[in-house]
Amino acid sequence: MDDTLWRSFEHDAVDPRDRYKMMSGAIVPRPIALVTTVAEDGTLNAAPISFFNCLSADPGILALGVETRDDGSIKDTGTNIRLAGEFCVNMVSEAMFEAMRICAQPEAPEVDEIALSGLTPVPSTSIAPPRLAEAPAAFECKRHVTLEISASRQIVLGRVTWMHYREDVIDAEKSYIRQERMNLVGRMSGPSYVRLNDIFTELPDPAPAPGGPRR
């Protein structure tokens, strides 16, 4: 055994704010979903969520970790999804970065963040919330289930109904995504982000271990 030193923590013994920093700082980079929803009065809402990922492709399931406000009330995105059962996930390119940051600012429910940020809403195919013209890829979703994890967190699972890709980022014949053309950004910890274009060349699988299969 080497002489590496470790610091270990019992999860529930760590203050939630410190726990957030410790987990979000280590589990990186995280993709960013710029989620569009529609309020009951028709107001458009857009909010970036970095506790987000794809959990399944059969069926297509996307997961959003939606925080509550400091007073425990549900944020606009969570409220709109709960009431309408629909949302659209727009992937965030570097060109959308400043607009995404504008959408991240806390605004009153009657404020249209899409208009505020200068982004362009495009009608979706199967849901009321629009997708964003600037996004290189977007996924229309209907709420599958909402998990009430705690007073501060919901996890929303959405079933993908339609997928949209800018023409230059997909080889439709091979179903191949040209990731280097998407120019996506990811979330690190605190105020830090990362460009996701430092892509490794795909390497061949290692040779099987002697005496049997690797798995």
Side-chain angles (χ1 to χ4, degrees), residues 2-21:
D2 63 28
D3 57 358
T4 301
L5 299 178
W6 293 85
R7 294 290 304 277
S8 302
F9 304 85
E10 182 183 0
H11 174 274
D12 292 353
V14 178
D15 180 83
R17 289 184 179 275
D18 292 332
R19 194 188 307 149
Y20 173 87
K21 292 187 291 184

Side-chain angles (χ1 to χ4, degrees), residues 90-142:
N90 301 271
M91 303 306 294
V92 178
S93 68
E94 186 175 3
M96 299 168 61
F97 181 73
E98 289 302 329
M100 180 271 293
R101 292 183 67 196
I102 292 173
C103 293
Q105 302 305 308
E107 301 288 349
E110 64 272 14
V111 174
D112 179 341
E113 286 94 350
I114 298 178
L116 190 66
S117 67
L119 293 169
T120 309
V122 177
S124 292
T125 304
S126 63
I127 59 175
R131 59 187 177 90
L132 300 174
E134 292 79 4
F139 303 89
E140 299 179 22
C141 298
K142 292 185 181 290

Side-chain angles (χ1 to χ4, degrees), residues 6-207:
W6 293 85
R7 294 290 304 277
S8 302
F9 304 85
E10 182 183 0
H11 174 274
D12 292 353
V14 178
D15 180 83
R17 289 184 179 275
D18 292 332
R19 194 188 307 149
Y20 173 87
K21 292 187 291 184
M22 293 164 69
M23 295 185 70
S24 66
I27 303 172
V28 292
R30 299 187 304 280
I32 302 170
L34 187 50
V35 179
T36 50
T37 57
V38 180
E40 278 192 306
D41 64 1
T43 301
L44 300 181
N45 178 271
I49 295 177
S50 62
F51 277 39
F52 151 71
N53 220 309
C54 174
L55 299 188
S56 169
D58 185 19
I61 297 290
L62 304 185
L64 307 176
V66 183
E67 283 186 305
T68 59
R69 297 187 179 91
D70 290 340
D71 63 3
S73 61
I74 300 173
K75 290 185 177 181
D76 297 340
T77 297
T79 297
N80 295 345
I81 293 174
R82 173 175 287 181
L83 295 177
E86 300 177 335
F87 60 95
C88 187
V89 166
N90 301 271
M91 303 306 294
V92 178
S93 68
E94 186 175 3
M96 299 168 61
F97 181 73
E98 289 302 329
M100 180 271 293
R101 292 183 67 196
I102 292 173
C103 293
Q105 302 305 308
E107 301 288 349
E110 64 272 14
V111 174
D112 179 341
E113 286 94 350
I114 298 178
L116 190 66
S117 67
L119 293 169
T120 309
V122 177
S124 292
T125 304
S126 63
I127 59 175
R131 59 187 177 90
L132 300 174
E134 292 79 4
F139 303 89
E140 299 179 22
C141 298
K142 292 185 181 290
R143 185 180 66 85
H144 179 64
V145 67
T146 298
L147 306 176
E148 302 287 348
I149 300 300
S150 71
S152 65
R153 177 73 61 172
Q154 297 176 327
I155 294 179
V156 178
L157 301 184
R159 181 161 183 162
V160 178
T161 55
W162 280 81
M163 304 181 290
H164 305 274
Y165 301 90
R166 199 175 63 213
E167 187 174 19
D168 66 307
V169 306
I170 185 170
D171 181 336
E173 291 185 4
K174 299 180 180 179
S175 302
Y176 175 76
I177 305 300
R178 298 184 175 96
Q179 295 171 349
E180 73 282 357
R181 297 184 182 180
M182 295 182 72
N183 291 314
L184 297 181
V185 293
R187 184 69 187 271
M188 300 296 281
S189 60
S192 300
Y193 295 81
V194 63
R195 297 178 179 88
L196 298 180
N197 264 8
D198 185 11
I199 301 172
F200 282 96
T201 301
E202 185 175 348
L203 301 176
D205 286 340

